[in-house]
Amino acid sequence: MKATSMYIYLEGVKFFSHHGVEPQETIVGANFIVDLKLRTDFTYAAQKDELEGTVSYADIHAAVKEEMKIPSKLLEHVCERIGQRLFSDFPTIQEITIRLSKENPPMGSDCKNVGVEVHYTR
């Protein structure tokens, strides 16, 4: 048996952060949701039942949490920083899909979430 692709994902991770274009958004803050899909090869970990040979989703969470603490105007910029950080910290990651949403954005509309999604490759 051979796996043709392997992914680690974190879905619906919530952060309270201070991202936004309007000054009020950076002062008050808001809830954000991050979804990640990371392509990597964890064949060794799957066969040996060892954390060695895979990417720890706890370590991924810690890296994303640090990036989410840094205020940015645009969600696009936050995604760029997260992508760069994950590729730098975890050399076995081959592709990253990031979906970043802001809950209840201040735009005069009854809207659950708005956001961006990006796919990066090395």
Side-chain angles (χ1 to χ4, degrees):
M1 171 175 70
K2 180 175 175 145
T4 58
S5 57
M6 299 175 173
Y7 296 92
I8 293 171
Y9 70 92
L10 285 76
E11 185 175 7
V13 184
K14 290 193 176 190
F15 296 97
F16 186 83
S17 299
H18 297 271
H19 307 305
V21 174
E22 299 299 323
Q24 171 193 340
E25 295 176 281
T26 58
I27 294 168
V28 175
N31 290 318
F32 294 83
I33 301 165
V34 177
D35 297 312
L36 294 171
K37 185 177 178 183
L38 313 168
R39 188 167 71 90
T40 187
D41 183 348
F42 52 77
T43 302
Y44 180 84
Q47 293 171 351
K48 302 296 182 184
D49 196 23
E50 296 290 338
L51 187 56
E52 181 184 344
T54 190
V55 178
S56 164
Y57 44 81
D59 292 343
I60 295 291
H61 178 269
V64 173
K65 183 177 181 179
E66 286 183 21
E67 293 302 322
M68 288 297 292
K69 287 180 183 178
I70 302 168
S72 294
K73 293 180 201 171
L74 301 177
L75 299 183
E76 293 86 342
H77 182 70
V78 179
C79 288
E80 180 78 8
R81 285 190 295 100
I82 290 171
Q84 289 176 348
R85 170 76 183 267
L86 295 180
F87 278 143
S88 175
D89 288 2
F90 307 97
T92 61
I93 294 175
Q94 301 157 354
E95 295 179 17
I96 301 170
T97 299
I98 304 170
R99 183 174 183 181
L100 177 56
S101 304
K102 183 174 195 170
E103 290 186 337
N104 195 25
M107 57 184 213
S109 174
D110 185 14
C111 180
K112 182 178 176 181
N113 295 323
V114 297
V116 297
E117 182 174 319
V118 63
H119 180 83
Y120 297 111
T121 59
R122 277 198 190 270

